[in-house]
Amino acid sequence: MASYYFLLFVLVAASAISEADAKKKLSKDFYCSSCPELLSIVNQGVINAIKKETRIGASLLRLHFHDCFVNGCDASILLDDTSSFIGEKTAAANNNSARGFNVIDDIKANVEKACPGVVSCADILTLAARDSVVHLGGPSWNVGLGRRDSITASRSDANNSIPAPFLNLSALKTNFANQGLSAKDLVALSGAHTIGLARCVQFRAHIYNDSNVDSLFRKSLQNKCPRSGNDNVLEPLDHQTPTHFDNLYFKNLLAKKALLHSDQELFNGSSTDNLVRKYATDNAKFFKAFAKGMVKMSSIKPLTGSNGQIRTNCRKIN
Ligand code: HEM
Ligand SMILES: *[C@@H]1O[C@H](CO)[C@@H](O)[C@H](O)[C@H]1NC(C)=O
Ligand SMILES: *[C@@H]1O[C@H](CO)[C@@H](O)[C@H](O)[C@H]1NC(C)=O
Ligand SMILES: *[C@@H]1O[C@H](CO)[C@@H](O)[C@H](O)[C@H]1NC(C)=O
Ligand SMILES: *[C@@H]1O[C@H](CO)[C@@H](O)[C@H](O)[C@H]1NC(C)=O
Ligand SMILES: *[C@@H]1O[C@H](CO)[C@@H](O)[C@H](O)[C@H]1NC(C)=O
């Protein structure tokens, strides 16, 4: 018995050390001397991309989320499928949906010119997500750097780990808890749906079958998204200001005007209602909780030290 407890102690202590280690290794100054231009190159790349297409800011933010939820923020989502390798791009949540890969390629090419072989794709994606939020009017935060890139990817892990829009609140909470994220993080980070678009196929069940939908809102969406067909028709996640990062997403939930079932689940008569009310009333509290949640999400299981590699091309391992 005593030796069992001793072993347990060693295991718990070891995992606590490795977690602290990973967090310590992420530092905002990681590339200060090895790539001083990094932050301005990424920022300029994001500005140029948003100038071309406003939606891309939303797409980059989601790309980072879908990277982090599948075995950590390790750029695994950026790996292309090949004849001998199946990656995450064709996983259920990403196929015909995840976008922004070319923007990351362009930024990576510029970073490689300035400081070859030094900066990971995972760090570039993390910075691009932050810069996207900032340029669309959202909060800013310090990004810890020093992630390395995976040499693997997993479609089945992507299928299982990225939350689906038909989940109920308890399943959403469990999904986030599996990543070390709280119910508060779930609500705040869902506020990312203040920007960007979703396809008819993702919200059809919500606008035809859920009771908790404003009737005029339901009618106008049903006109655009019929019971069958038009699967790829796009609608804004925040119907009021889809290219501006603000707290109107939460006001929409109070008015039963969420586009996704998973969004309305956050305000549907249970434990997260009060957080939704709080963020709908107080934009500053939302921004603060969102920034905090992003720092947590961006720190999920990074590869550091000599683990993984610094990919030359984000789409393939070296
Ligand atoms: C809470 C669970 C979540 C679910 C079930 C969910 C689900 C979805 C779905 C179904 C779409 C539309 C995809 C399509 O139609 O192709 C979407 C879009 C989006 N999601 Fe989420 N999401 C969740 C959380 C998050 C989080 C945590 C973030 C970021 C922090 C995020 C950021 C976005 C953004 C920005 C878009 C729009 C992307 C674009 O326009 O390209 N989502 N989400
Ligand atoms: C991904 O989408 C393409 C194009 O719609 C489709 O042909 C393919 O079967 C999909 N792949 C998976 C794994 O669902
Ligand atoms: C993941 O989901 C895709 C699309 O739904 C499906 O075609 C594929 O079989 C699944 N793959 C794995 C490995 O779970
Ligand atoms: C939520 O969904 C899970 C999985 O589908 C199910 O087991 C559970 O009963 C549901 N919970 C509620 C409160 O509806
Ligand atoms: C709505 O629910 C019914 C009954 O469960 C189901 O047959 C139908 O496919 C659902 N409709 C949509 C659009 O998901
Ligand atoms: C909200 O609660 C109702 C009643 O319990 C339930 O039917 C519905 O599926 C829930 N979710 C949404 C998004 O309406």
Side-chain angles (χ1 to χ4, degrees), residues 37-274:
E37 309 96 313
L38 173 64
L39 268 65
S40 68
I41 295 173
V42 175
N43 190 39
Q44 198 52 54
V46 169
I47 290 176
N48 294 344
I50 290 179
K51 236 182 247 163
K52 265 195 233 156
E53 189 210 20
T54 329
R55 182 189 177 193
I56 206 72
S59 307
L60 291 168
L61 175 58
R62 181 165 184 249
L63 208 50
H64 175 54
F65 160 50
H66 285 198
D67 181 29
C68 294
F69 264 51
V70 185
N71 301 314
C73 314
D74 60 0
S76 55
I77 195 174
L78 303 181
L79 291 172
D80 279 340
D81 283 14
T82 68
S83 56
S84 58
F85 173 84
I86 296 176
E88 294 164 18
K89 286 184 176 175
T90 52
N94 294 331
N95 200 30
N96 302 311
S97 182
R99 55 204 297 284
F101 299 107
N102 294 331
V103 175
I104 298 302
D105 289 341
D106 290 350
I107 295 174
K108 173 68 171 176
N110 288 334
V111 170
E112 284 299 299
K113 259 185 245 155
C115 3
V118 170
V119 181
S120 68
C121 299
D123 279 340
I124 289 173
L125 182 53
T126 309
L127 287 167
R130 191 268 315 266
D131 292 348
S132 295
V133 170
V134 171
H135 287 295
L136 296 174
S140 190
W141 58 90
N142 285 329
V143 171
L145 299 167
R147 294 168 194 75
R148 291 166 64 85
D149 299 324
S150 73
I151 51 172
T152 58
S154 168
R155 187 164 75 177
S156 62
D157 289 347
N159 281 355
N160 294 328
S161 303
I162 300 170
F166 53 77
L167 296 182
N168 62 30
L169 181 60
S170 81
L172 289 167
K173 279 183 182 166
T174 303
N175 178 278
F176 272 59
N178 290 341
Q179 304 287 351
L181 298 172
S182 66
K184 187 175 173 185
D185 297 323
L186 165 66
V187 176
L189 289 172
S190 293
H193 291 171
T194 175
I195 51 174
L197 309 174
R199 290 168 299 155
C200 166
V201 65
Q202 301 286 17
F203 60 81
R204 178 180 284 130
H206 176 55
I207 61 166
Y208 285 98
N209 279 352
D210 281 346
S211 54
N212 208 1
V213 184
D214 171 83
S215 64
L216 285 177
F217 184 70
R218 185 200 296 280
K219 278 203 192 93
S220 92
L221 286 172
Q222 288 181 349
N223 282 333
K224 294 164 183 160
C225 177
R227 278 184 189 276
S228 73
N230 286 5
D231 281 7
N232 293 322
V233 162
L234 294 166
E235 283 298 315
L237 287 154
D238 165 9
H239 68 98
Q240 305 197 71
T241 54
T243 60
H244 195 252
F245 198 102
D246 54 28
N247 68 339
L248 291 184
Y249 164 82
F250 295 102
K251 296 187 197 239
N252 295 337
L253 302 190
L254 299 185
K256 303 184 182 183
K257 292 178 181 174
L259 188 63
L260 303 178
H261 170 83
S262 50
D263 292 326
Q264 196 61 59
E265 279 288 306
L266 304 176
F267 186 79
N268 196 27
S270 54
S271 59
T272 49
D273 284 12
N274 279 334

